[in-house]
Amino acid sequence: MTKNIMIVGVGGQGTLLASRILGNTVIGEGYDVKVSEVHGMSQRGGSVVTYVKYGEKVYSPIIDEGEADVILAFELLEAYRALPYLKKGGKIIVNAQQIDPMPVITGAMEYPADIEKKLSAVADVTVADALSAAKEAGNAKAVNVVLIGVLAKNSEIPYEKWVETIKTTVPPKFLEVNLKAFDIGYNL
């Protein structure tokens, strides 16, 4: 059985590191893994989407609408945008943070209201204050690893395997803060 996980966020939030940690962890568990990264205007704070598929044998990294088992969202609006990709009975793990896209910053649009409510009306949603958790760990940029911790807690893969992968994937100078961030996310 193949598992489809869609990671969505805004450029600069660390979605690519999160996908590497996830991919490396499931490879370590013996799964075939395919990862596809879709960059929008990621350098300018635009949407970034990563597909991670794993199972006994995976032929394509692309996740079509209605196929995602899990959407791991680093920002509320990005979770809402990804909603059509979630399969019936799927799960959304979302950071409670709001990052205004350019049309909102310029005043051309308003940030949509009640996104948490709209998501919860149609899916199993876990909302995490990952930004506060990352700050507690020592670095606001560790939101990505906090969310990986939440995902790990909801997975069948043992805690120790995730920690091993973080130790081999994260640069040494950021390791301590990322291990703290993972633990906080895992225990949220």
Side-chain angles (χ1 to χ4, degrees), residues 38-107:
V38 180
H39 303 267
M41 290 290 289
S42 59
Q43 296 300 322
R44 303 202 185 279
S47 296
V48 178
V49 177
T50 304
Y51 304 121
V52 179
K53 290 177 87 168
Y54 65 95
E56 200 166 298
K57 187 69 186 145
V58 178
Y59 296 97
S60 166
I62 303 303
I63 298 172
D64 290 321
E65 287 192 10
E67 289 186 347
D69 294 292
V70 178
I71 293 174
L72 184 65
F74 288 33
E75 194 272 338
L76 282 164
L77 184 56
E78 295 302 324
Y80 192 59
R81 287 180 186 168
L83 195 55
Y85 289 88
L86 190 66
K87 74 168 33 167
K88 197 173 188 81
K91 181 162 186 58
I92 297 174
I93 298 169
V94 61
N95 179 13
Q97 189 175 2
Q98 290 185 14
I99 298 174
D100 291 344
M102 197 49 70
V104 172
I105 293 169
T106 62

Side-chain angles (χ1 to χ4, degrees), residues 21-33 52 54 157 162:
I21 291 170
L22 173 58
N24 290 344
T25 301
V26 295
I27 285 171
E29 289 294 284
Y31 291 106
D32 184 25
V33 179
V52 179
Y54 65 95
I157 299 168
W162 292 95

Side-chain angles (χ1 to χ4, degrees), residues 114-125:
D114 301 322
I115 291 177
E116 283 183 43
K117 247 189 245 175
K118 291 172 183 171
L119 293 173
S120 295
V122 295
D124 175 9
V125 180

